[in-house]
């Protein structure tokens, strides 16, 4: 129930990263030996960071990438599609300009965000009170997703279009619905609106860019 933070994700060996696929999916690690097989609980939140390329300027709005041809793709290919598929949120952090840093725009405080998150978690605890071993939206099974994450026809059309254009997997489909349900909980609404679904789809940006190898 802790946080695993991996900085510079592509610098890890690909074989090491692939080992995380089972615990990310099943929340346990299975150790098999000749005479025995044991399961250990491994429920963690994975947070990973990486540069867009070795020089750090791929897709930069102002500076030009100086990586040689093919270097960027080899760098990105260190992260496999199946592993990327298991990460719910892909957030691209763009450079902040001087004007943005110095402007006096009112922002939401950490305490306000914390209160909103606590309320959303309370909603989820109440939702799953009769489901043993399930405490939040991320822990829902595929069958529970179909029951809990109902969307209207407009939402289905939007999601179908995104699935076809991005070539998303069934796993990504379930994760989009879970994330949209969480966004709706944070907004304090009972149903998943089309804007919640659209925001969840936006968090599949690495699928959209075709970064995975």
């Amino acid at each position: 129930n802790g946080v695993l933070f991996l900085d510079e994700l592509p610098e890890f060996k690909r074989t090491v990263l692939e080992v995380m696929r089972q615990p990310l999916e099943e929340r346990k690690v299975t150790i098999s030996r000749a005479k025995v097989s044991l399961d250990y609980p491994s429920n963690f939140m994975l947070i990973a960071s990486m540069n867009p390329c070795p020089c750090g300027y791929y897709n930069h709005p102002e500076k030009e990438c100086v990586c040689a041809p093919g270097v960027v793709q080899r760098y990105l290919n260190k992260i496999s599609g199946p592993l990327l598929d298991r990460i719910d949120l892909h957030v691209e952090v763009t450079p902040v300009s001087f004007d943005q840093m110095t402007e006096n725009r009112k922002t939401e405080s950490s305490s306000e965000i914390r209160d909103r998150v606590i309320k959303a978690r309370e909603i989820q605890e109440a939702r799953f009170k009769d489901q043993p071993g399930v405490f939040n939206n991320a822990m829902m099974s595929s069958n529970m997703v179909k029951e809990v994450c109902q969307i209207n026809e407009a939402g289905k059309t939007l999601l179908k279009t995104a699935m076809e254009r991005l070539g998303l997997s069934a796993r990504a489909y379930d994760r989009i619905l879970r994330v949209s349900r969480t966004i709706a909980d944070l907004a304090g609404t009972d149903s998943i609106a089309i804007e919640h679904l659209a925001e969840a789809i936006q968090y599949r940006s690495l699928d959209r860019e075709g970064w995975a190898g």
Side-chain angles (χ1 to χ4, degrees), residues 155-173:
K156 290 178 181 177
T157 301
L158 175 65
L159 189 50
K160 179 182 178 182
T161 302
M163 293 284 293
E164 292 173 348
R165 289 186 179 177
L166 303 180
L168 299 178
S169 66
R171 184 179 291 110
Y173 171 85

Side-chain angles (χ1 to χ4, degrees), residues 86-116:
R86 289 167 168 81
I87 299 176
D88 291 341
L89 309 178
H90 308 160
V91 181
E92 295 182 63
V93 182
T94 55
V96 180
S97 67
F98 179 79
D99 291 339
Q100 289 175 310
M101 286 189 287
T102 56
E103 67 181 2
N104 294 319
R105 182 179 57 179
K106 180 174 171 54
T107 58
E108 195 174 14
S109 68
S110 296
S111 60
E112 289 173 324
I113 295 172
R114 181 178 181 271
D115 290 341
R116 194 151 46 88

Side-chain angles (χ1 to χ4, degrees), residues 50-59 65-67 71-72 75-76 211:
M50 60 182 284
N51 287 315
C53 70
C55 81
Y57 294 118
Y58 182 65
N59 276 347
C65 175
V66 297
C67 295
V71 170
V72 176
Y75 175 79
L76 299 176
W211 279 20

Side-chain angles (χ1 to χ4, degrees), residues 29-187:
V29 172
T30 302
I31 307 295
S32 297
R33 293 294 182 265
K35 295 183 179 180
V36 67
S37 179
L38 297 174
D39 290 337
Y40 290 93
S42 182
N43 183 15
F44 60 93
M45 180 183 295
L46 173 66
I47 301 175
S49 67
M50 60 182 284
N51 287 315
C53 70
C55 81
Y57 294 118
Y58 182 65
N59 276 347
H60 194 284
E62 297 172 359
K63 297 185 179 180
E64 204 165 318
C65 175
V66 297
C67 295
V71 170
V72 176
Q73 199 57 50
R74 284 197 299 272
Y75 175 79
L76 299 176
N77 283 351
K78 294 180 181 180
I79 313 300
S80 73
L83 177 61
L84 197 60
D85 221 15
R86 289 167 168 81
I87 299 176
D88 291 341
L89 309 178
H90 308 160
V91 181
E92 295 182 63
V93 182
T94 55
V96 180
S97 67
F98 179 79
D99 291 339
Q100 289 175 310
M101 286 189 287
T102 56
E103 67 181 2
N104 294 319
R105 182 179 57 179
K106 180 174 171 54
T107 58
E108 195 174 14
S109 68
S110 296
S111 60
E112 289 173 324
I113 295 172
R114 181 178 181 271
D115 290 341
R116 194 151 46 88
V117 171
I118 289 173
K119 288 177 182 177
R121 290 301 295 260
E122 289 173 347
I123 291 171
Q124 293 173 35
E125 287 175 8
R127 176 179 296 136
F128 303 118
K129 66 180 186 298
D130 297 325
Q131 301 290 338
V134 180
F135 307 104
N136 54 53
N137 294 336
M139 302 178 77
M140 285 191 289
S141 65
S142 294
N143 288 335
M144 291 178 67
V145 168
K146 293 177 182 177
E147 179 182 342
V148 174
C149 304
Q150 297 287 335
I151 55 177
N152 58 26
E153 288 303 318
K156 290 178 181 177
T157 301
L158 175 65
L159 189 50
K160 179 182 178 182
T161 302
M163 293 284 293
E164 292 173 348
R165 289 186 179 177
L166 303 180
L168 299 178
S169 66
R171 184 179 291 110
Y173 171 85
D174 281 351
R175 290 183 180 276
I176 287 172
L177 288 176
R178 290 190 189 103
V179 171
S180 62
R181 180 62 267 174
T182 300
I183 294 170
D185 290 342
L186 287 167

Side-chain angles (χ1 to χ4, degrees), residues 11-22:
E11 300 302 324
F12 290 87
K13 289 184 178 179
R14 182 161 174 160
T15 52
V16 173
L17 295 177
E18 292 302 295
V19 171
M20 292 196 301
R21 285 163 55 177
Q22 184 202 14

